Amino acid sequence: MTVRAPSSWPWRPLAALLCAAALLPLASQAQTLHVAPGGSANGACDASSPCNLQAAQAKVRAWRAQGRNDITVQLQSGTYRLQQPLHFDPADSGTNGHPVRWQAAPGAHPVLSGARLVQGARDGALWRFALPSDDAPSSVYVDGRRRWPARTRACPHCVVDAKGLSNVPPAILHVLQVGSVAAMHARWRDFHCRVIALGTDRVDLAQPCWHNATLDSRGNGWAVASPVGKYYGGVDWFENLSGDPLEPGSYTVDATHRTLRYRPLPGETSRAPSIELPVLEQLLVLKGTLKAPVHDLVFSGITFAGTDWRRAASGDGYVSLQAGYLVDGPRQGGLPDDGEGMTRIISAVDVQAGRDIVFDRDSFHQLAAAGITLAGGTHGGAVTNSRFTDLGGGGVFTGDTEGHPADPASKTSDIVVADNRIDHVALAWRDNVAIMAGFVNGLAIAHNTITDLPYSGISVGWGWNYEGTAPVESSIHIVGNRIERVMLQLADGGAIYTQAQSTPGTSCVVRNLTDMRHSGEGNGIYLDEHSTYFDVERNVVLGSWVSAWASWSGHLRIVDNWTDNAGGPHNAGPTKVWSPNFTQLKTLPAAALAVQQAAGAREGRPESALPIRVPSLCPQP
């Protein structure tokens, strides 16, 4: 006789659930790994025995190979001093709808650092530090504040010749050495070339750096904005000097003895000597291929800090074309008119051939070069709710420099850069901008707050007027950003700068606030050269106006914007619509005040959902 339990017995649903749970595949069970700065390579990666980053990465790869999903790596507070960059490839990927998450533990503030904490000794009025190599660091940090190498005063009368500079004053020449660096600028371009020989009143500069700095193109006139052009105003400074530093807060390097000498500020003299010495150039590199992208990854709540970049000390030096894109290698036939073939400034975080990669609520600071790049055929990427400050280069780079690639899949697409705060960047490489995009199909730059820059705030497009008549970009949406105090050192730029021809009906600049009243020379919105098929609507432009000067730009709608400027058409052209706009305003109307109030980074915005797609059509103005 079989006895059946009544269906109302309480254990039966529980038993059924337990049985079902036992049968669930591992892929559906969320798993968390725990990481700590002092974690062991052999740790269990659990809360009681956290492991290090490399062990967690190995475990993620093993789990993913087994088909497990919903993996989270939690980083506890502290500084993770990397001996080499973290490299991610397709084996580190999540799966559709189930990204692998690398994130701060609740309430934690993890820092991925490429710097070493170096203890020093007092040497009279100076502090002395042993260096791991004879290379001079581009900057160091004392109490979290950047300290620059010692610099000379400007040399406005230094004369340019084929080998370098003559008419160098004796007082400057006295402190120079082989390995010093000359820094100068012309309009929108920045140049840094190493000294390779000293004469009685001159210095020779490294090649091909100096050759490329003075090189022209066939038709674009790059030499106009170069040391041989009419805008050359002399050398801004020399750095990497010999002897002891004279100015408090500066340092020099004795390469022979691998020693850094620092002259402390008055408030630092009573403290034990220590510096943060940046060593690594990069912190995190994600690299896939077009056929096998690295994909479905989220990095959240992490600070990236402590990089160095010694490009200026190389033979190539730093020769900018525009906005962090550089000329390198021997150039025999002149610079390309369209700017293709350039090298992008290095970034602490670099994503190449990625898909659906998210950086949310992260922090980028104390970096020698740029913050983050998403390029090289990356399709689906987001940088949101993050903070960028104290960077030598720009904040966010995306897009590519080839307008018509043989494989269309190699052109980056569907990138979101939203609700970030970016200020005090491009401190070393002055032509850089807060957000720079080359050729890209699908880009939303929305509600960022951008301030205090030597050059432009947002720059999109590439190629000037040398890319033919077919569109080279599409769906460029620049919406709701707040930009002020830009163009503080360089010229010929603006708060928002565009280039190149877009697919008709897809690209726009709407509802932004650009305030140039406390900025340098520049435009509120600058539709430069071959900017084509952009709608510019309902923007508040203060202290400046919209420029669309080139006769080869066109199909532009510049309407319903508010400005305190006279606001006249700038080269009207047969396909440019310049009215109605609201100009010469003493006070802003309610609609303009609403745009002004809403512009900039918003608090509490959600992380980007996957997959990341930018709509083809612009949001309503």
Side-chain angles (χ1 to χ4, degrees):
M1 180 178 178
T2 302
V3 178
R4 298 185 181 273
S7 60
S8 60
W9 282 15
W11 58 265
R12 185 169 184 177
L14 177 61
L17 287 173
L18 291 173
C19 291
L23 296 174
L24 281 174
L26 290 173
S28 66
Q29 298 182 23
Q31 294 135 118
T32 300
L33 301 174
H34 297 264
V35 178
S40 169
N42 300 314
C45 298
D46 59 23
S48 61
S49 179
C51 58
N52 63 22
L53 290 165
Q54 292 76 15
Q57 184 181 23
K59 187 156 289 190
V60 169
R61 288 181 168 186
W63 283 359
R64 285 292 300 118
Q66 297 169 8
R68 299 191 187 190
N69 292 328
D70 299 312
I71 302 170
T72 298
V73 181
Q74 286 195 353
L75 280 64
Q76 297 179 9
S77 282
T79 300
Y80 297 75
R81 295 191 184 276
L82 304 179
Q83 300 302 310
Q84 59 187 10
L86 293 173
H87 287 269
F88 283 60
D89 63 28
D92 299 290
S93 301
T95 188
N96 293 340
H98 301 275
V100 175
R101 304 183 63 88
W102 292 75
Q103 65 185 35
H109 301 283
V111 179
L112 300 189
S113 175
R116 309 285 180 266
L117 182 62
V118 179
Q119 300 296 329
R122 297 181 184 275
D123 185 3
L126 303 178
W127 292 353
R128 177 169 44 84
F129 301 90
L131 297 176
S133 72
D134 59 2
D135 294 325
S138 58
S139 60
V140 300
Y141 290 85
V142 178
D143 295 332
R145 301 290 299 273
R146 187 189 293 256
R147 301 290 185 251
W148 297 101
R151 294 173 174 176
T152 69
R153 67 178 187 271
C155 182
H157 303 299
C158 281
V159 177
V160 172
D161 59 38
K163 291 186 175 181
L165 300 161
S166 62
N167 199 36
V168 181
I172 292 180
L173 202 60
H174 175 71
V175 297
L176 298 184
Q177 60 183 338
V178 172
S180 295
V181 173
M184 62 200 79
H185 75 279
R187 297 293 281 173
W188 67 90
R189 301 179 70 193
D190 200 12
F191 307 91
H192 301 251
C193 289
R194 178 171 56 91
V195 173
I196 58 172
L198 293 88
T200 55
D201 72 339
R202 64 168 293 107
V203 296
D204 292 349
L205 299 177
Q207 302 292 359
C209 180
W210 191 238
H211 171 74
N212 291 338
T214 59
L215 198 59
D216 205 352
S217 63
R218 295 181 300 276
N220 216 8
W222 290 111
V224 171
S226 82
V228 296
K230 65 180 180 179
Y231 297 108
Y232 169 71
V235 176
D236 296 324
W237 68 79
F238 291 90
E239 63 183 34
N240 293 348
L241 309 181
S242 64
D244 292 338
L246 300 179
E247 293 294 325
S250 68
Y251 65 87
T252 58
V253 171
D254 180 346
T256 301
H257 298 95
R258 294 186 177 182
T259 300
L260 182 147
R261 294 187 290 263
Y262 173 72
R263 186 173 295 277
L265 294 167
E268 297 168 341
T269 55
S270 62
R271 305 174 191 176
S274 67
I275 59 172
E276 288 277 347
L277 177 68
V279 176
L280 298 184
E281 290 189 341
Q282 293 185 295
L283 302 173
L284 177 62
V285 177
L286 282 64
K287 189 171 184 179
T289 67
L290 296 181
K291 292 184 178 180
V294 55
H295 62 91
D296 292 282
L297 287 163
V298 176
F299 299 87
S300 180
I302 300 171
T303 293
F304 300 92
T307 60
D308 197 15
W309 194 48
R310 300 184 177 119
R311 167 86 184 207
S314 70
D316 282 323
Y318 185 93
V319 179
S320 72
L321 199 65
Q322 187 174 25
Y325 287 80
L326 312 177
V327 184
D328 58 7
R331 300 273 173 167
Q332 302 300 327
L335 301 178
D337 295 322
D338 58 11
E340 292 190 353
M342 300 297 101
T343 299
R344 183 190 284 113
I345 188 174
I346 199 168
S347 293
V349 176
D350 189 19
V351 180
Q352 300 289 322
R355 190 188 72 223
D356 292 330
I357 307 293
V358 175
F359 289 83
D360 184 67
R361 290 171 173 81
D362 296 310
S363 178
F364 299 78
H365 75 278
Q366 297 182 5
L367 302 175
I372 184 171
T373 293
L374 299 97
T378 291
H379 302 294
V383 181
T384 54
N385 303 301
S386 295
R387 180 82 166 90
F388 296 78
T389 192
D390 191 9
L391 308 187
V396 181
F397 282 80
T398 189
D400 309 295
T401 59
E402 190 172 1
H404 304 285
D407 184 353
S410 67
K411 185 182 289 187
T412 297
S413 68
D414 293 309
I415 304 296
V416 175
V417 183
D419 295 292
N420 303 291
R421 298 180 185 275
I422 308 175
D423 59 76
H424 298 91
V425 302
L427 299 179
W429 319 108
R430 296 167 290 177
D431 64 302
N432 280 225
V433 303
I435 302 170
M436 170 64 198
F439 297 128
V440 57
N441 291 331
L443 171 63
I445 302 177
H447 286 280
N448 301 282
T449 297
I450 297 170
T451 66
D452 296 285
L453 295 170
Y455 185 48
S456 297
I458 294 171
S459 184
V460 300
W462 196 251
W464 298 276
N465 56 321
Y466 298 95
E467 286 289 348
T469 58
V472 291
E473 59 192 3
S474 66
S475 300
I476 309 299
H477 305 163
I478 306 174
V479 181
N481 301 283
R482 183 184 190 95
I483 308 169
E484 52 193 334
R485 297 193 302 277
V486 296
M487 304 300 302
L488 297 178
Q489 295 183 49
L490 304 189
D492 200 358
I496 297 174
Y497 177 98
T498 70
Q499 278 279 12
Q501 179 169 326
S502 176
T503 301
T506 68
S507 294
C508 58
V509 181
V510 298
R511 299 196 305 273
N512 301 280
L513 167 66
T514 66
D515 189 344
M516 301 292 290
R517 291 174 296 181
H518 303 288
S519 299
E521 174 191 345
N523 304 283
I525 300 173
Y526 192 2
L527 308 166
D528 197 14
E529 295 270 355
H530 202 212
S531 296
T532 309
Y533 291 110
F534 278 89
D535 290 343
V536 180
E537 300 184 61
R538 296 182 70 79
N539 300 282
V540 177
V541 183
L542 302 177
S544 185
W545 182 227
V546 180
S547 173
W549 67 274
S551 60
W552 50 92
S553 66
H555 299 284
L556 304 172
R557 294 182 65 255
I558 304 161
V559 299
D560 295 328
N561 302 285
W562 300 273
T563 182
D564 54 0
N565 190 273
H570 192 183
N571 187 355
T575 63
K576 302 177 187 177
V577 178
W578 281 92
S579 64
N581 290 294
F582 308 95
T583 63
Q584 295 182 308
L585 298 172
K586 301 298 182 183
T587 59
L588 294 176
L593 290 172
V595 168
Q596 183 182 48
Q597 181 67 29
R602 301 162 294 186
E603 298 294 336
R605 302 296 296 178
E607 176 187 297
S608 294
L610 302 182
I612 299 167
R613 299 293 181 266
V614 174
S616 60
L617 299 180
C618 280
Q620 290 296 313

